[in-house]
Amino acid sequence: MRFDEAYSGNVFIKSHPSYEESKAVIYGMPMDWTVSFRPGSRFGPARIREVSLGLEEYSPYLDKHLEEVKYFDAGDIPLPFGNPQRSLDLIEEYVGQLLDAGKFPVGLGGEHLCTWPVFKAIHKKYPDFAVIHIDAHADLREEYEGEPLSHSTPIRKVCGLIGPENVYSFGIRSGMREEFQYAKESGMYMAKFDVAAPLKEVLPKLAGRNVYVTIDIDVLDPAHAPGTGTAEAGGISSKELLEAITMIANSDINVVGADIVEVAPAYDPSEQTQIAASKFLREILLGWVK
Amino acid sequence: MRFDEAYSGNVFIKSHPSYEESKAVIYGMPMDWTVSFRPGSRFGPARIREVSLGLEEYSPYLDKHLEEVKYFDAGDIPLPFGNPQRSLDLIEEYVGQLLDAGKFPVGLGGEHLCTWPVFKAIHKKYPDFAVIHIDAHADLREEYEGEPLSHSTPIRKVCGLIGPENVYSFGIRSGMREEFQYAKESGMYMAKFDVAAPLKEVLPKLAGRNVYVTIDIDVLDPAHAPGTGTAEAGGISSKELLEAITMIANSDINVVGADIVEVAPAYDPSEQTQIAASKFLREILLGWVK
Amino acid sequence: MRFDEAYSGNVFIKSHPSYEESKAVIYGMPMDWTVSFRPGSRFGPARIREVSLGLEEYSPYLDKHLEEVKYFDAGDIPLPFGNPQRSLDLIEEYVGQLLDAGKFPVGLGGEHLCTWPVFKAIHKKYPDFAVIHIDAHADLREEYEGEPLSHSTPIRKVCGLIGPENVYSFGIRSGMREEFQYAKESGMYMAKFDVAAPLKEVLPKLAGRNVYVTIDIDVLDPAHAPGTGTAEAGGISSKELLEAITMIANSDINVVGADIVEVAPAYDPSEQTQIAASKFLREILLGWVK
Amino acid sequence: MRFDEAYSGNVFIKSHPSYEESKAVIYGMPMDWTVSFRPGSRFGPARIREVSLGLEEYSPYLDKHLEEVKYFDAGDIPLPFGNPQRSLDLIEEYVGQLLDAGKFPVGLGGEHLCTWPVFKAIHKKYPDFAVIHIDAHADLREEYEGEPLSHSTPIRKVCGLIGPENVYSFGIRSGMREEFQYAKESGMYMAKFDVAAPLKEVLPKLAGRNVYVTIDIDVLDPAHAPGTGTAEAGGISSKELLEAITMIANSDINVVGADIVEVAPAYDPSEQTQIAASKFLREILLGWVK
Amino acid sequence: MRFDEAYSGNVFIKSHPSYEESKAVIYGMPMDWTVSFRPGSRFGPARIREVSLGLEEYSPYLDKHLEEVKYFDAGDIPLPFGNPQRSLDLIEEYVGQLLDAGKFPVGLGGEHLCTWPVFKAIHKKYPDFAVIHIDAHADLREEYEGEPLSHSTPIRKVCGLIGPENVYSFGIRSGMREEFQYAKESGMYMAKFDVAAPLKEVLPKLAGRNVYVTIDIDVLDPAHAPGTGTAEAGGISSKELLEAITMIANSDINVVGADIVEVAPAYDPSEQTQIAASKFLREILLGWVK
Amino acid sequence: MRFDEAYSGNVFIKSHPSYEESKAVIYGMPMDWTVSFRPGSRFGPARIREVSLGLEEYSPYLDKHLEEVKYFDAGDIPLPFGNPQRSLDLIEEYVGQLLDAGKFPVGLGGEHLCTWPVFKAIHKKYPDFAVIHIDAHADLREEYEGEPLSHSTPIRKVCGLIGPENVYSFGIRSGMREEFQYAKESGMYMAKFDVAAPLKEVLPKLAGRNVYVTIDIDVLDPAHAPGTGTAEAGGISSKELLEAITMIANSDINVVGADIVEVAPAYDPSEQTQIAASKFLREILLGWVK
């Protein structure tokens, strides 16, 4: 007596009813407690699902249909308000279970710090993995206002975990001087301002490797993604990000998990941020889950 | 592997997982195709559920807790876009099934025309039922711009079905001259402008009767419910509507079903309309489902 | 080949096509150049007309229909941007022409200073007229930041023109100490905070007199009229203002002109301010134009 | 006694007062009843006119001034709410009259289904006409949720009417697999994702032909046109669309009519969508009406 | 070379330049890290100051002018993002310094948990103080989701600190059953739903006592204060709260400090919430600081 | 006892406390009284400062940190509301003082007319200066609606002051035919539509000269800057404007002052316009003040 068709607004469109049979699992990380400027990304996952109702199930970019891939939408992980450490532990535990069960994890943020426990879980299963990081911000701080748990630190942390030489950042246009210095000196890869062109050069080098891809929606210009906490002028267009996603789909890397973070709907009355994120999610499911 | 707690934002809080065991059933009627001025109420049901996350489960008005009543949230009835007649048929069929199964139907609109098929389903089970209609608009037109299926007609239609003497309207402050004339001459009851005071007088007369209650959110002043299609200045406050709901709960009438309609979230960036509707829904579940 | 019915959104609903045959004339005063805090009322008149499409033509308050009164909507007076003195001269000239032609002027603001030239035009025809002023602000300043032409001065100016003893202010809850002192000492009438109750007492004293009524929409609480430049908490409800308008309609005073000013749509995404003003305008046309 | 200058906000700027003397006629099609996701385009035509006040009358793109072309703004066609078939019949009838009178029709939507009756009227006068279709969506469905009258179907319908080989679509980035297959197999022309570059190649092939051009505003990226019902990330910029309009103006095709549809102001508090559409309309009048 | 007059938008209007000479000190507590539903109150203090520019300096309620009281606006206490415990410690330390210096503390929130350290600081100076708590929510939880530091707990904590018999809550309309039971059984005072009427009865009993007054803006109906995190329908009007503030000013209690909390501007595009809070702040400064 | 760190939201981040020691001075010109279409830019300067809190202090574009340049934020010049002439006189006087003291003036508008008195003050000190003007609008009118003081005239005025051959306009896409004719015939330089490419060609010709740079935020496409009074579709991206600012920084011209004008926050609920302007201001301080 529940209406499965209409109900799909509450899960991402076409998500499969069975966890067991699904290859990928979508989960929300509704946390924004360490956000410094404009909070609100905790509502990102729910709104990305809601607007998926307006999305076509077929992608003309990849010539694929959502029926060709089985994914389960698990909803949002219940996270304790205002407690970053416990929230991160719960995310790590959950993603660990997904990986143990052979699932492809697709996270929806939430603030970027949420990716840190995911990195740890991925590391347990794929100790040699590399990271593709698409973002406006370097996120290479060691701490923020004295707090090591901050949405400005996850990429620095993962450099410590897997070595900076395995971390590839794209689109970076904001950070402290120290972060850019670290990027230069540590051996990590950082492409400033652009995404598609440098990615085209990097992808062949990563061929055959296990790669986790994390996308901070604020890599887009605020024109294309006003609904985010730390909007940064001078970004790329949705078109360029779609191009990048397609490039990864057509490359020889082995994507082992992905996320889209920092969608904060309150700052975008037109809903275009979640509408765009919802489309990116479709492309990720169609192109990266193999 | 789904997160039941966090997931509650997609169903009304504390809704019971089992249809069979539930006494009441919440269902959405996401239809606004005959709306003349500002459409958008099709998104009302989903947003009422979403904000229920911010609601307490206990009512200090009724001294009751949502755990004391079992209700199932069925989601939204899948309605064919732009086809009023088929949509109404589907609603009538669905509510008929609920009544056959002994459930108490609680509808969320959607436009007010959605109540018309519910009236017809109720009539089959309770041929002698009366209607309490709380609204800014008389909704007594025979047709609107030549269309008999319009959100301005449901109360006129139910007058035809059960006799105007069984229809009680409250809070009415807008309509055509013909509608007010019909109200005067037909034998129906109509209280202009106010709700709580006239309801206090009417309720004893309805003691022991089966009554369906339909609440158009625009009975509230636009100050209290800006998110509605045909906002009408000069309305009552949320406080008065809560008082009215409590009065009905404490009366001797037998409520056999209810709905809250015309919540159109797009016109209310503060979300207060759905937040209020969500609270009214809690009170209805606690006070009217017996 | 123009569509008269649909076109009515650009004039107030049911406005008569002929200036000559009309008794009343609606005109906009799209000026906000002396506004100190939040400009934007220049768009008030157009939006009041636009939302009139959603209004019923019949009033259950007065039991009258817009077809019973002939009024012409002249559109907005073309005013030179940023030039207060020339704008005021143009308004005075236009309203003078209306009065010469025996029309009942109904102005839509625009900032409250626009009423000053109207007062002057009215004074030429009705030297003994009185003013009913419904507003949150005393508007009794002699100047504002050194400028005698300011939206804070029109009532002080009209006190000079017709004598303070002929000025009746209602609902006042904001002003400088000097303004309240002037109100006390000058012999004018001022009711603080409330409108309906004091008006009920004053109206009999004004019986038989020619009265111009000016309504600043900010007399309403910001809950009821968020779309205004200098919103002031603690105001009256739409319901109380409708009651006041009805009282005046049913009184023995001779209303010779009226206006509604300070509607600034940009601050009200829900459009409830213009929706309310549009309803007040209907009641004024039905109740005051005789 | 009406103010012609100020009044221009209610018609498109500089529109000519005489239907008879005008070469082109602007008309609104305020219909959105078959819209599946976010309704509201019925208010598009009025808001495009309103913001035209802020537009210059001269185009530096075409080096032409609006005084060089005579066009009449007829207002919105009065359409019966919620009745798609009758609405479409009225549009067909009206546009037929325009064509009989030798006028160049310029429609403002409203949903894209409105273009279907226009196609039929054009077909009667120009049986051999071709279509340039600029849109994010293929609009090639045979039906939508069982309804053949849907905003997803007009291009498929016109393929049936004039043959797919006479239909040229640009900018398409969304649709069902079946629609893209139809595009490939039917012989119609479809350029995915881009507009200006493929148009440059196609225009010479259409030289000398009668062409109707329909522009769905959602071909723009949501960054440039957030105010539309089915916003689709990854679109073109306003700059590219202006370039396309200029190219058509400078080509050798004979434009016989045009429209801009799917502007839904409620989703765009910044009003940039209607501001852009208003500019496109100016360019169309200056460049395509000959 | 700084512009003192124009600069006043960044401090509350008419605030005195000298901390030493001032009797009262305004300080912001820009913290919202434990907020469960809709964060954003960290921006409350800044926006309350910003809109104070539109406020009159004279109060017709109290017949007093802001020049009659000396207060210093210290700005916002710099609080470490996402660290509740350290934030609370900093607030307690700062307010302790104010009290040591003989200042009257006036806090602006930020979430309601911020009042807890203020209570502790007050307690050190006035061990026998009582609390007047004006709020929609009981805030009597012992913990929230396992966290004892939550915006739902400050009143329970102060009951522990000074004894429930010294705590007086008004306007409460939301909470868990346990909170209302605690209110009944513990000996504290709680007035449900209303503020002015019960306060009138309680004030004489508190005559001569030292009292701290904490106002959660959500005691207002969402119609009057949409800009708050946990809006709760059925509240009081701005008018009633102004009445309550005036009553306290005219009573025989000795107010020793006060705050206004939970203003979250992001949810209120009309800015009416901060406009109202700004007015309440003026009345508090004029009426309570003696 | 003031909190310097948190207080920085009210001045541009990292602004120096001492006017005397600073090289550059930021000042606001909160005037919009001659704006024809959508006023509100008077709030631009305050909001640009407010969002600077979310900005990094380091620029990866210029590899410089805000600590490397000393600038003082003077706040907003107090301007008399609605009095253009006196406002302009005050601006001219203030900027004259800055130049006398050897400061680099950085103005924040306010409407573009504010740049006219700045031009006059610059002219006194640098009689041979040139102007780089980046804007959507030519601003070359001699008067607007009969008023020579209008936001459409400043560039025409400066042509009269320093000779059109010293004026270089970029990005222009709107104006009257007369303005474009004047541009062609007068000997001034005008690049239509684009900024970065033509600037690259012009900069070498200006090597060694004193240049004032005025940026109207509406040169950006409304997608990138919706918060402006006369948004004009078809503009450049934030990325292109950042590129232009960097080019100027790396050129051989001697920038002697600059401004960013026409930010009107009310039209941009996402705040992206002021966020972008705030970033441009950082780049100007880092790259142009030498």
Side-chain angles (χ1 to χ4, degrees), chain A:
Chain A
M1 285 304 282
R2 219 160 229 166
F3 309 107
D4 282 333
E5 188 185 349
Y7 206 65
S8 59
N10 297 327
V11 292
F12 193 74
I13 44 158
K14 285 283 158 189
S15 63
H16 199 273
S18 158
Y19 171 79
E20 281 70 25
E21 296 179 30
S22 294
K23 173 67 190 141
V25 173
I26 300 170
Y27 58 94
M29 303 175 286
M31 161 175 167
D32 56 10
W33 2 111
T34 80
V35 169
S36 53
F37 189 47
R38 302 193 304 180
S41 62
R42 74 180 67 167
F43 297 108
R47 293 296 171 93
I48 292 172
R49 290 180 184 107
E50 184 182 290
V51 299
S52 72
L53 258 178
L55 203 63
E56 286 287 345
E57 298 161 7
Y58 168 77
S59 162
Y61 300 85
L62 296 166
D63 188 20
K64 287 182 102 173
H65 191 282
L66 284 175
E67 283 179 347
E68 298 174 52
V69 55
K70 278 188 185 158
Y71 51 92
F72 177 81
D73 186 344
D76 288 357
I77 305 180
L79 302 177
F81 299 115
N83 190 328
Q85 190 54 63
R86 276 175 54 198
S87 299
L88 300 185
D89 292 348
L90 284 164
I91 294 170
E92 185 175 353
E93 187 191 333
Y94 182 70
V95 178
Q97 287 172 23
L98 292 186
L99 292 168
D100 288 348
K103 307 298 184 191
F104 182 105
V106 185
L108 301 176
E111 56 167 286
H112 214 160
L113 181 56
C114 293
T115 305
W116 169 231
V118 180
F119 284 149
K120 290 201 285 184
I122 295 280
H123 187 240
K124 273 185 210 143
K125 180 151 187 188
Y126 306 102
D128 63 340
F129 82 111
V131 166
I132 289 182
H133 166 230
I134 301 176
D135 197 339
H137 303 88
D139 287 0
L140 286 167
R141 298 197 187 189
E142 294 198 84
E143 55 159 50
Y144 185 74
E145 308 264 328
E147 291 293 328
L149 290 184
S150 152
H151 71 130
S152 304
T153 60
I155 302 307
R156 181 62 169 268
K157 285 176 184 299
V158 81
C159 284
L161 187 70
I162 60 174
E165 66 279 10
N166 292 309
V167 177
Y168 296 79
S169 289
F170 299 86
I172 310 303
R173 61 189 187 275
S174 182
M176 295 170 73
R177 170 168 277 166
E178 292 69 22
E179 295 175 82
F180 286 92
Q181 276 172 337
Y182 176 84
K184 251 192 239 166
E185 296 162 6
S186 68
M188 72 172 283
Y189 175 91
M190 180 190 282
K192 285 197 292 186
F193 313 133
D194 298 310
V195 175
L199 190 64
K200 201 172 178 180
E201 294 190 15
V202 164
L203 282 173
K205 300 180 197 162
L206 285 170
R209 290 198 61 182
N210 294 322
V211 181
Y212 184 88
V213 189
T214 178
I215 300 175
D216 187 320
I217 200 75
D218 66 21
V219 74
L220 296 182
D221 192 274
H224 296 268
T228 194
T230 40
E232 183 76 34
I236 67 168
S237 67
S238 301
K239 215 172 178 176
E240 183 170 344
L241 188 48
L242 282 164
E243 201 185 329
I245 293 172
T246 307
M247 258 193 255
I248 292 173
N250 296 331
S251 76
D252 295 321
I253 68 172
N254 180 34
V255 184
V256 296
D259 59 43
I260 303 173
V261 300
E262 298 284 4
V263 172
Y267 307 103
D268 179 4
S270 70
E271 304 191 311
Q272 63 170 285
T273 313
Q274 52 262 48
I275 287 172
S278 177
K279 185 169 183 173
F280 302 144
L281 178 50
R282 183 190 71 191
E283 298 298 298
I284 287 172
L285 291 167
L286 290 176
W288 297 0
V289 181
K290 281 160 187 171

Side-chain angles (χ1 to χ4, degrees), chain D residues 27-219:
Chain D
Y27 57 94
M29 302 175 286
M31 159 174 168
D32 56 11
W33 3 111
T34 80
V35 169
S36 52
F37 188 46
R38 303 193 304 181
S41 63
R42 73 179 68 167
F43 297 108
R47 292 297 170 92
I48 291 171
R49 291 180 184 107
E50 184 183 290
V51 299
S52 73
L53 259 179
L55 204 61
E56 287 288 344
E57 298 161 6
Y58 168 77
S59 163
Y61 300 85
L62 296 166
D63 187 21
K64 287 182 103 173
H65 191 282
L66 284 175
E67 283 179 346
E68 298 173 52
V69 56
K70 278 188 185 157
Y71 51 92
F72 177 80
D73 187 343
D76 287 357
I77 306 179
L79 301 177
F81 300 114
N83 190 329
Q85 189 54 63
R86 276 175 54 198
S87 299
L88 300 185
D89 292 347
L90 284 164
I91 293 170
E92 185 175 353
E93 186 191 334
Y94 181 72
V95 178
Q97 289 172 23
L98 291 186
L99 292 168
D100 288 348
K103 308 297 184 192
F104 182 105
V106 185
L108 302 176
E111 56 166 288
H112 215 161
L113 181 57
C114 294
T115 305
W116 168 233
V118 181
F119 283 149
K120 290 200 286 182
I122 294 281
H123 187 240
K124 275 186 206 138
K125 181 152 187 189
Y126 306 103
D128 63 340
F129 82 112
V131 166
I132 289 181
H133 166 230
I134 300 176
D135 197 339
H137 303 89
D139 286 1
L140 287 167
R141 298 196 189 192
E142 295 199 83
E143 55 161 48
Y144 184 74
E145 309 264 328
E147 292 292 328
L149 291 182
S150 153
H151 71 131
S152 304
T153 60
I155 302 307
R156 181 63 170 266
K157 286 177 182 300
V158 81
C159 284
L161 187 70
I162 61 173
E165 66 280 9
N166 292 308
V167 176
Y168 296 78
S169 290
F170 300 86
I172 310 304
R173 60 188 188 275
S174 182
M176 295 169 74
R177 170 168 276 165
E178 291 69 22
E179 294 176 83
F180 286 91
Q181 277 173 336
Y182 176 85
K184 252 192 238 165
E185 296 162 6
S186 68
M188 72 172 282
Y189 175 91
M190 180 189 285
K192 284 197 291 186
F193 314 134
D194 298 310
V195 175
L199 190 63
K200 204 174 176 180
E201 294 190 16
V202 164
L203 283 173
K205 300 180 198 162
L206 286 170
R209 290 198 59 182
N210 293 321
V211 181
Y212 184 88
V213 188
T214 179
I215 299 175
D216 188 319
I217 200 74
D218 67 21
V219 74

Side-chain angles (χ1 to χ4, degrees), chain F residues 259-272:
Chain F
D259 60 43
I260 303 173
V261 300
E262 298 284 3
V263 172
Y267 307 104
D268 180 3
S270 71
E271 305 191 308
Q272 64 169 286

Side-chain angles (χ1 to χ4, degrees), chain C residues 184-207:
Chain C
K184 251 192 238 166
E185 296 162 6
S186 67
M188 72 170 283
Y189 175 91
M190 180 190 284
K192 285 197 291 187
F193 312 133
D194 298 311
V195 175
L199 190 64
K200 201 173 179 181
E201 292 190 16
V202 164
L203 282 173
K205 300 180 197 161
L206 286 170

